[in-house]
Amino acid sequence: DTAKSAYIPAMIQIVPQKPAKDTRVVVAMSGGVDSSVTAALMAEAGFDVVGVTLQLYDHGEAVQKKGACCAGQDIYDAKRVADTLSIPHYVLDYETRFREEVMEDFADTYLRGETPIPCVKCNQTVKFRDLLGTAKDLGAEAMVTGHYVRRVEGPNGAEMHRALDHSKDQSYFLFSTTREQLDFLRFPLGDMDKAETRRHAQRFALPVAEKPESQDICFVPNGSYARVVERLRPGACDPGDVVDLEGNVLGMHDGIINFTVGQRRGLGVAAGTPMYVVKIEPDLKRVVIGPKDALLCEAIRVTEMNWLDHAPLTDKLRRVKVKVRSTTEPVDADIYDDGDDIHVKFVQPQAGVAPGQACVAYEGDKVLGGGWIER
C-alpha cells in the first residue's frame, strides 16, 4: 500500500477537481520496463489510460535484434503489458516521419563532422510534437512517459527538473521540450530510481519486469552506426587523412563518420603520447588529432536555443551550470545572448566538447534551456 500510494498524489493533479476515472491520459509505451510501469501506475490511480506504441522503422531492413526500443519484439511486449493492465493499446506507423526527422538528420550530422544525438531529435519531433498531437486528438488531458525527469509547478508555470536519481536523469535529452508541451506532459518516474521502478514492475506482475535495459540507438543494428550512415548516404565512408595540429599526415582513416571529438581509441596512428580527435574537417575529409590539452575549450556558441526559464537571456552574463555531454555532470559557466548568437563561457576550460551535441543549462536541478553546439 505504501508503494501504491506514494505516487498517486502527484499524478491526480492532471486536471484539478476532475475525477481520475474521467481523465483520459495517453501513455507512450516502448515495451520497456519504464514505460510499462508508468502505464501501470496511471491505471492503478484510476485514470482512463490509452497505451500508444510507435513503429518507427522497418524492422527487417534496419534492425534484427533484441533490446532496442521500438523494435518488433518491443511492440509485442507493449501489447502484452497493455493486455495485462486491461487498457486499450494502439500501434501507430510513424516510419516515414522517423526516417525524415531522425534518421536522415543522423546521417547528415555525421557527414558534417559532428556527433548527433538522435534521441533528442526523436523527442523533439516524432514524440513530443507528432505523438503529443495525436494524444490530444484522442481526447487526452495529458501525455505520460517513462522518462526520468521531474515536472514541477513553479510560480510561473510548469518547470522541468532533473530526476531525483541523477544517475538516471534524462533531462539532457529533453531540453527541446517547449513550455506548451511541458504543460501537457507528465513524468511519474522522476522521483524514483531504477530499483524502485523494477519493484513496481514485479508488484504489478508485468511480463517485462526482468527485461534488460537497452543501451543502443534503436535503429542502429549491433551498435554499428557507420553502417547505417553509409546505407543512407553512400560514400560516407570514403577514406581520408589523419593529420596532426600542423597538418602533417600521420595516417589514413576509413571515413570521418567513424570519429568524434575527444575520441582516443581506433585512430590507427602510432604516437609516443596519447592522441585524441581534436577536430573533424568534413570538406577535406580530414581527422585532426592532438594531445589531450588541445581538446580544452573555453567557450562555445549554441544554436536553436529552447529557453524554458521565465527570465529571458540578455547580453548580461548569467552564471549557470551546463552539461555538454549526457554522461558528464553540469559545470559552471556564464551564458549570454549578444543578439545574434547564444554564447557559453566555461569557468574552467572543458575537454572534448563535440559539435552536434547539446548544451543544456541548469539552475540547481531546474532546466533553464538548451541548444546545439556549433562547429
Side-chain angles (χ1 to χ4, degrees):
D1 290 341
T2 302
K4 174 180 175 179
S5 63
Y7 301 98
I8 292 178
M11 294 190 291
I12 62 175
Q13 300 304 316
I14 291 176
V15 181
Q17 284 78 53
K18 187 173 183 179
K21 65 181 180 62
D22 297 327
T23 304
R24 172 167 292 178
V25 298
V26 164
V27 178
M29 299 179 67
S30 69
V33 176
D34 297 332
S35 63
S36 298
V37 167
T38 297
L41 288 170
M42 299 306 288
E44 181 180 61
F47 289 100
D48 174 12
V49 180
V50 176
V52 173
T53 301
L54 303 182
Q55 179 169 316
L56 298 180
Y57 49 83
D58 185 316
H59 311 304
E61 178 186 357
V63 169
Q64 286 287 353
K65 65 172 183 174
K66 295 181 178 179
C69 74
C70 311
Q73 177 64 42
D74 299 304
I75 293 175
Y76 173 69
D77 286 343
K79 175 171 174 42
R80 287 199 300 155
V81 170
D83 289 344
T84 300
L85 300 174
S86 299
I87 63 172
H89 176 249
Y90 300 96
V91 178
L92 304 182
D93 183 355
Y94 276 27
E95 283 190 28
T96 300
R97 305 183 204 194
F98 185 74
R99 183 182 179 98
E100 292 174 352
E101 300 279 5
V102 180
M103 294 177 67
E104 301 283 353
D105 177 81
F106 177 80
D108 289 339
T109 302
Y110 267 117
L111 290 183
R112 292 196 302 269
E114 301 175 357
T115 306
I117 317 177
C119 294
V120 173
K121 287 292 185 181
C122 186
N123 290 329
Q124 185 177 26
T125 57
V126 176
K127 290 181 181 175
F128 286 2
R129 185 192 66 198
D130 299 339
L131 178 56
L132 191 145
T134 299
K136 290 182 177 179
D137 290 341
L138 290 171
E141 306 275 7
M143 189 170 87
V144 189
T145 79
H147 289 101
Y148 286 89
V149 66
R150 288 182 293 151
R151 179 188 180 279
V152 176
E153 285 294 340
N156 296 286
E159 301 172 352
M160 182 182 295
H161 287 235
R162 297 182 75 188
L164 200 64
D165 179 0
H166 283 185
S167 69
K168 294 296 297 178
D169 174 56
Q170 293 175 293
S171 62
Y172 180 83
F173 299 100
L174 299 177
F175 77 83
S176 61
T177 306
T178 66
R179 294 180 191 175
E180 181 182 6
Q181 290 167 346
L182 196 56
D183 284 339
F184 194 69
L185 289 163
R186 298 295 186 277
F187 310 102
L189 304 190
D191 292 311
M192 301 188 202
D193 58 25
K194 188 72 177 194
E196 200 166 355
T197 301
R198 291 280 186 190
R199 288 195 294 272
H200 278 296
Q202 292 163 356
R203 179 171 69 85
F204 289 117
L206 299 180
V208 297
E210 303 303 325
K211 187 173 182 177
E213 194 168 2
S214 173
Q215 300 296 327
D216 296 326
I217 297 170
C218 67
F219 59 89
V220 177
N222 305 316
S224 180
Y225 65 85
R227 289 179 59 190
V228 173
V229 175
E230 190 172 30
R231 179 170 56 81
L232 293 170
R233 298 289 184 272
C237 287
D238 288 349
D241 293 329
V242 177
V243 303
D244 63 16
L245 297 174
E246 285 72 43
N248 300 308
V249 177
L250 303 178
M252 296 284 293
H253 65 75
D254 56 357
I256 62 170
I257 64 172
N258 292 295
F259 300 88
T260 185
V261 171
Q263 180 177 330
R264 177 181 173 185
R265 298 182 182 278
L267 304 185
V269 172
T273 58
M275 302 291 276
Y276 300 80
V277 175
V278 174
K279 183 169 56 173
I280 297 171
E281 299 177 333
D283 293 340
L284 300 174
K285 296 183 179 179
R286 295 202 311 185
V287 176
V288 182
I289 65 174
K292 190 171 185 178
D293 59 5
L295 286 171
L296 292 177
C297 176
E298 296 183 350
I300 55 175
R301 286 187 303 171
V302 179
T303 187
E304 297 181 42
M305 174 64 77
N306 178 54
W307 194 249
L308 292 170
D309 192 44
H310 71 282
L313 283 174
T314 68
D315 57 359
K316 293 183 169 54
L317 298 181
R318 179 172 177 177
R319 177 61 54 89
V320 297
K321 297 272 191 179
V322 298
K323 285 183 67 148
V324 292
R325 281 184 180 273
S326 63
T327 55
T328 60
E329 279 299 303
V331 297
D332 290 326
D334 293 316
I335 187 170
Y336 67 97
D337 182 354
D338 68 1
D340 295 317
D341 296 295
I342 305 298
H343 297 265
V344 175
K345 291 185 174 182
F346 302 112
V347 173
Q348 296 292 332
Q350 298 298 303
V353 180
Q357 294 280 289
C359 174
V360 181
Y362 298 85
E363 185 176 71
D365 278 347
K366 178 183 174 183
V367 180
L368 299 176
W372 300 103
I373 300 171
E374 289 193 324
R375 287 189 72 244

